[in-house]
Amino acid sequence: GNREMSAKLVELQKQAQMISMAGHKGSFMEVESQKFYHAPWDAPRLVYELTEGIERTAVTIFNEKGERVADLSGPTKAGRNEVVWDGKGFKGETLPEGKYRFNVQMFGKEDKALVDEEGNIVTAKHKSMMRVTGVKMVSGVPTATSYDLDFPMSSVTGLSAEGVIDLEKKDSKDEKAKVEKDDKDLDRILDEALDELGLDTDLAISGNGFFVVGKVGDPSDTSPQEYSYTRSGSFVRDSEGNLKNTAGYYLQGWRTDEKGEPIATNRSTLSNLETIKVSQVSGFSRPSTKVDLAVNLKSDADLNDTYDVNIEVYDSLGIAHDLKFTYERTQIDPMEWTVSIECEGAAQVLQDNALGGAYNNVVIQFDENGMPQTFDGGLNPPAIHIIWDNAETSAADMTLDLNLGTVGEADGLVCRGTAYNIISRDQDGIRLGNFTGVNIDEEGVVHALFDNGETRKIYRLALANFANPNELEEKSGNVWTQTDQSGGYVLYYAKTYGVGRIASRALEASTVDISSQLTDMILTQNAFSANAKVIQKSKEMLDDLKAL
């Protein structure tokens, strides 16, 4: 129907994007990202936007560990600015190839850093320009790659042929291997783009197995299930969310846990199979369990100066809450600060657990190099235990592990220099996401997809095999049933015991349902005939009108 055609057109558009992007391999792409990939032979460009009145910019480079590795002075004109990093560190040494990120701090009159209403440092809008080294599909999303970094094509804001290089002819074997790592299957991807423009629920088996299908799709229907076997994998979602083929047979599989393992302990009988029903999946979220903060506190801050850092965390219901950290300078020498934590919607924020004290004025001591020396007298800060206000939410109370870095290291909280800076903040919770579709991998695991980027394993397809499949009895609708001569069924996972792997968005050409195709052809012919009669009748009426 229209829904199926629309889905195929969307898939065609995605594949066209990939083919187009593949043509830009070796050229620059501009991406809305602070992250970039540094290769000694291929310097990236760091792009940022400035408003009027900026007197100075400080471009800071960080490695994957969050360590500050280089400082650059960038242009300050209003509008678009670019700076090329040569990959050198503070001492002029060439830094190793890998993933880096940057931010651009802005200074106005009297060399004062720009801050927002809450006192947080304001950074410029970031973009990066890097080589296109390959393209691929990631969870159904067309994705461009630059060495070891992936970027959804929706984040690519521009392409430039300037400085195009032949990535395949680079002298270094290591460099070529890295490019090929991202792009080794490009030809295969483009072939599939032309051959597999089906739905995500169009399936084929590259092996000897059969899909197990049944005539009963409603679990409340007490009628005995009539099992059959087919190689025809053209399945679509019906109005109830069941995967059903054009002949009215429902796809069967095992319900799984979140790891993709079937819940049923006996997987050798058909009676433990269920109709694959994707509509049973609603929203999906994940509560936060840890918070990572990297902040630079001013070493010349006055006594009782305070700085706030805010980060969103998610409760067991998928609802976001603002977690606020307040750092206060309490001693000049030796350097000492305290941290206190508040949370929106919380009745109490405690240390470690429900029996801990309030998370107020936890002492952090720094050494003479500005590195953390102790967190509350130990090597790690106390965990954050949140007791929610029952008048605000019914979510379960939660405990968050707090990572402020390593004692003696510059990989988290530090107290150095004269500028306060939030280097990074992260947490592992996921907001509530709505179900958007399914993806079936080559092992037959059915993944539910959500608009928050998460996936969840919900079913695993069962593939059947027989000692003598040529003796199965053929029925209408491209299905077969077991006979004494075929031998009994044996159920397997895909990619085991020769039953084959599952190819998603593909159909086996030999399984075309002739009766279905003839029915569609007759319907089309009847519609054409009806339209022709309407046109003929309209012409006759117009002729009669002219004759008056």
Side-chain angles (χ1 to χ4, degrees):
N2 290 337
R3 182 181 298 176
E4 182 176 352
M5 182 59 69
S6 297
K8 288 189 176 181
L9 288 173
V10 169
E11 189 67 20
L12 179 61
Q13 184 182 33
K14 290 180 180 180
Q15 302 291 7
Q17 278 184 287
M18 294 187 66
I19 294 171
S20 176
M21 181 61 79
H24 290 279
K25 181 182 172 185
S27 62
F28 277 104
M29 63 176 171
E30 183 179 271
V31 181
E32 293 180 341
S33 174
Q34 288 178 267
K35 293 182 179 180
F36 64 91
Y37 196 91
H38 156 61
W41 66 89
D42 194 13
R45 304 177 192 177
L46 313 178
V47 182
Y48 53 93
E49 299 282 340
L50 296 180
T51 56
E52 296 282 355
I54 304 302
E55 299 291 332
R56 181 171 70 89
T57 59
V59 182
T60 307
I61 311 294
F62 301 92
N63 62 18
E64 278 192 279
K65 297 179 180 178
E67 298 169 338
R68 187 175 180 173
V69 295
D71 289 328
L72 309 173
S73 294
T76 57
K77 70 178 187 295
R80 177 189 173 91
N81 292 270
E82 288 187 16
V83 60
V84 178
W85 180 43
D86 60 4
K88 300 290 180 64
F90 289 120
K91 299 179 181 178
E93 75 281 15
T94 299
L95 293 175
E97 174 187 352
K99 302 172 188 175
Y100 292 80
R101 67 177 179 82
F102 76 106
N103 65 25
V104 181
Q105 191 172 342
M106 300 176 287
F107 297 84
K109 293 181 180 179
E110 299 179 0
D111 206 34
K112 290 185 177 180
L114 269 62
V115 296
D116 60 19
E117 294 178 354
E118 297 180 352
N120 295 323
I121 296 292
V122 177
T123 57
K125 184 177 180 181
H126 303 84
K127 291 185 180 181
S128 301
M129 292 193 73
M130 291 165 286
R131 295 288 180 193
V132 180
T133 58
V135 296
K136 60 184 177 181
M137 294 290 283
V138 178
S139 298
V141 177
T143 299
T145 63
S146 182
Y147 303 100
D148 279 349
L149 286 176
D150 295 342
F151 299 98
M153 288 183 190
S154 58
S155 70
V156 178
T157 58
L159 290 161
S160 171
E162 181 184 352
V164 172
I165 58 174
D166 187 346
L167 296 169
E168 302 299 335
K169 292 183 178 179
K170 296 197 67 61
D171 295 332
S172 168
K173 292 182 180 179
D174 291 339
E175 294 164 5
K176 183 176 179 181
K178 181 167 286 296
V179 173
E180 289 176 346
K181 175 180 178 294
D182 268 342
D183 200 33
K184 63 181 180 179
D185 292 328
L186 179 58
D187 291 339
R188 175 184 57 79
I189 290 172
L190 297 182
D191 288 341
E192 291 173 356
L194 300 175
D195 296 337
E196 297 189 3
L197 298 179
L199 297 174
D200 284 336
T201 51
D202 281 345
L203 308 173
I205 303 173
S206 62
N208 299 320
F210 292 80
F211 296 113
V212 181
V213 293
K215 287 297 285 185
V216 179
D218 185 355
S220 63
D221 189 337
T222 58
S223 305
Q225 182 66 278
E226 300 176 29
Y227 293 104
S228 302
Y229 309 93
T230 185
R231 299 273 300 186
S232 177
S234 180
F235 295 98
V236 295
R237 276 180 279 172
D238 67 7
S239 59
E240 300 298 322
N242 301 307
L243 294 188
K244 178 181 179 182
N245 67 15
T246 54
Y249 288 91
Y250 295 94
L251 183 61
Q252 304 292 300
W254 296 284
R255 189 188 298 268
T256 69
D257 57 23
E258 291 187 2
K259 296 181 179 179
E261 292 298 321
I263 296 172
T265 55
N266 183 0
R267 297 190 287 274
S268 61
T269 62
L270 295 172
S271 59
N272 285 318
L273 297 179
E274 299 181 27
T275 295
I276 306 295
K277 184 173 185 176
V278 296
S279 66
Q280 65 163 327
V281 183
S282 54
F284 177 71
S285 63
R286 185 172 67 216
S288 303
T289 63
K290 65 178 182 178
V291 172
D292 300 313
L293 284 181
V295 178
N296 184 60
L297 300 171
K298 292 175 60 176
S299 63
D300 63 348
D302 294 331
L303 205 61
N304 301 322
D305 277 359
T306 62
Y307 298 96
D308 293 337
V309 181
N310 295 72
I311 185 172
E312 278 191 339
V313 295
Y314 298 91
D315 64 21
S316 60
L317 301 177
I319 298 173
H321 299 268
D322 195 33
L323 192 66
K324 179 181 178 182
F325 293 74
T326 299
Y327 295 97
E328 181 179 0
R329 183 73 178 262
T330 54
Q331 191 168 298
I332 300 297
D333 189 15
M335 285 190 289
E336 183 179 283
W337 292 70
T338 62
V339 61
S340 301
I341 302 175
E342 304 171 24
C343 187
E344 173 193 16
Q348 298 181 77
V349 179
L350 306 175
Q351 299 179 38
D352 288 325
N353 53 52
L355 301 178
Y359 217 116
N360 293 327
N361 302 317
V362 172
V363 176
I364 304 170
Q365 294 180 322
F366 296 87
D367 63 23
E368 63 274 12
N369 296 313
M371 307 299 181
Q373 196 171 33
T374 62
F375 297 103
D376 195 34
L379 297 178
N380 299 292
I384 306 166
H385 185 75
I386 299 174
I387 298 176
W388 298 112
D389 184 346
N390 291 335
E392 296 279 342
T393 178
S394 58
D397 296 342
M398 61 193 291
T399 301
L400 304 171
D401 290 329
L402 176 58
N403 175 24
L404 296 179
T406 309
V407 166
E409 300 289 341
D411 57 357
L413 184 66
V414 293
C415 184
R416 307 181 73 182
T418 60
Y420 165 70
N421 189 19
I422 300 173
I423 300 168
S424 66
R425 44 189 159 186
D426 196 15
Q427 55 83 44
D428 62 345
I430 299 291
R431 67 171 175 83
L432 181 65
N434 297 312
F435 174 73
T436 58
V438 295
N439 172 260
I440 302 174
D441 66 25
E442 63 180 10
E443 294 182 348
V445 178
V446 182
H447 301 256
L449 309 179
F450 301 88
D451 62 8
N452 58 5
E454 287 295 291
T455 64
R456 188 176 184 181
K457 298 172 182 177
I458 54 175
Y459 287 100
R460 188 160 191 170
L461 303 187
L463 296 187
N465 206 356
F466 300 86
N468 189 5
N470 292 328
E471 295 298 328
L472 292 170
E473 183 178 352
E474 186 174 2
K475 302 288 185 180
S476 63
N478 269 349
V479 298
W480 287 266
T481 57
Q482 179 179 308
T483 65
D484 292 338
Q485 290 75 27
S486 68
Y489 67 84
V490 182
L491 301 179
Y492 297 105
Y493 294 156
K495 289 189 71 175
T496 62
Y497 298 99
V499 293
R501 66 177 181 88
I502 302 294
S504 185
R505 299 194 307 278
L507 293 173
E508 188 173 324
S510 63
T511 60
V512 174
D513 188 340
I514 300 300
S515 62
S516 174
Q517 296 296 315
L518 286 173
T519 300
D520 289 344
M521 186 176 70
I522 292 169
L523 289 173
T524 303
Q525 185 177 15
N526 287 344
F528 178 81
S529 299
N531 287 334
K533 290 179 180 179
V534 170
I535 294 171
Q536 179 63 31
K537 190 65 177 178
S538 299
K539 183 178 182 301
E540 292 174 359
M541 292 173 66
L542 185 60
D543 290 343
D544 291 342
L545 184 62
K546 289 179 179 179
L548 294 177

